Amino acid sequence: MKNLALSSLILLFLSSCSLALFNDFQPYPGAAESKKDACSWFREDTGRYLFQSSVDVFSNHFTGLLFVKPLQGRSHSCFFITEVGIKIFDMEFFNDGEFKLHYCLEELNRKAIIKTLSNDLALMVDNIASNGKVKMMKDKETGRLIIKSKDYNGTRYCIVNDKTNKIEELIRTGSLTNKVNIKFFSISGAQPDSINISHYNLKLSIHLSKLNENGSDIP
């Protein structure tokens, strides 16, 4: 009986969290599948990105340069080095949710850290889940569009800017609590000028500021 009561409370808690997250939105009968590539930032035709980066992973703090390169077949490469050229990690992400670790600095080369970092970066580069059903919701008052999709790590909610038609915030929820939040900031609307990744229940955060590879931004 106690187990049944506890299970009921957990289900009630999860339901209330889900409803509280987007309780002012209603189903939107739009072509959700067509929004996948249009709203995502890192598509195959966008070229390479370079970011000034700050990464805090538990007790570790790193600053340096993060290269993000969309590859053929909707895969992406993420390569992080310090300002003095020390390689921190090199990861490749694939359309089916898999990733390949090419290199990781010894201090970070722990299973739990690698899993969390790879999940965060995979979410950042492949904003809307490639597999599975995609649904859209719309804010009753403001008209904001929410694209809901699912992957093996939970449910993704992509909040789309109605002016630029790009994702401005991405929330992935897990089994018990909101797990991770990604915010994209852009002046032109054509590319992300900065990106913030933060966790609700882990000491892990990433801040990225885009650099101009052809100008004087590179340190």
Side-chain angles (χ1 to χ4, degrees):
M1 184 66 71
K2 289 183 177 180
N3 290 336
L4 179 61
L6 179 59
S7 299
S8 300
L9 286 173
I10 291 175
L11 288 174
L12 179 62
F13 172 75
L14 295 178
S15 300
S16 63
C17 287
S18 178
L19 291 173
L21 191 59
F22 295 112
N23 57 354
D24 292 328
F25 289 77
Q26 61 185 3
Y28 180 74
E33 290 293 329
S34 65
K35 288 285 186 180
K36 281 186 177 181
D37 287 335
C39 296
S40 294
W41 288 102
F42 300 97
R43 303 189 313 273
E44 188 175 321
D45 60 349
T46 55
R48 187 174 80 165
Y49 291 82
L50 174 63
F51 295 95
Q52 180 73 48
S53 309
S54 173
V55 179
D56 289 281
V57 185
F58 301 103
S59 60
N60 298 287
H61 175 74
F62 300 95
T63 59
L65 303 175
L66 178 71
F67 295 84
V68 178
K69 173 66 176 176
L71 305 173
Q72 292 184 349
R74 287 180 62 89
S75 64
H76 298 80
S77 173
C78 291
F79 179 77
F80 183 37
I81 62 173
T82 67
E83 289 90 342
V84 295
I86 299 174
K87 186 189 296 186
I88 304 299
F89 59 75
D90 183 1
M91 300 179 180
E92 187 174 356
F93 304 93
F94 301 94
N95 184 37
D96 59 2
E98 296 295 322
F99 91 102
K100 184 175 182 180
L101 179 65
H102 295 286
Y103 174 83
C104 185
L105 191 70
E106 184 177 355
E107 287 90 329
L108 296 181
N109 201 355
R110 304 291 184 271
K111 185 176 181 179
I113 294 177
I114 294 297
K115 182 179 180 181
T116 304
L117 270 177
S118 63
N119 286 343
D120 288 354
L121 293 173
L123 186 63
M124 182 189 78
V125 298
D126 192 15
N127 311 145
I128 302 171
S130 303
N131 301 318
K133 293 183 179 180
V134 178
K135 296 181 180 180
M136 290 199 294
M137 301 180 290
K138 206 167 189 179
D139 191 309
K140 298 177 182 178
E141 296 183 1
T142 66
R144 276 198 316 170
L145 188 66
I146 300 289
I147 301 177
K148 178 183 178 181
S149 59
K150 292 186 178 182
D151 63 10
Y152 57 94
N153 279 317
T155 302
R156 305 181 187 190
Y157 296 92
C158 301
I159 303 172
V160 180
N161 185 302
D162 59 346
K163 294 181 180 179
T164 64
N165 201 36
K166 290 293 185 183
I167 295 169
E168 60 181 12
E169 185 174 2
L170 204 162
I171 300 170
R172 184 177 62 210
T173 60
S175 57
L176 291 176
T177 59
N178 296 342
K179 293 174 66 176
V180 64
N181 177 280
I182 301 179
K183 291 184 178 180
F184 300 89
F185 302 92
S186 175
I187 298 176
S188 66
Q191 54 188 318
D193 296 299
S194 65
I195 303 171
N196 286 334
I197 302 176
S198 58
H199 280 258
Y200 295 87
N201 52 357
L202 287 177
K203 293 182 178 180
L204 194 155
S205 62
I206 300 173
H207 176 73
L208 308 175
S209 297
K210 192 175 186 303
L211 297 176
N212 179 10
E213 290 191 71
N214 298 319
S216 59
D217 289 346
I218 301 178

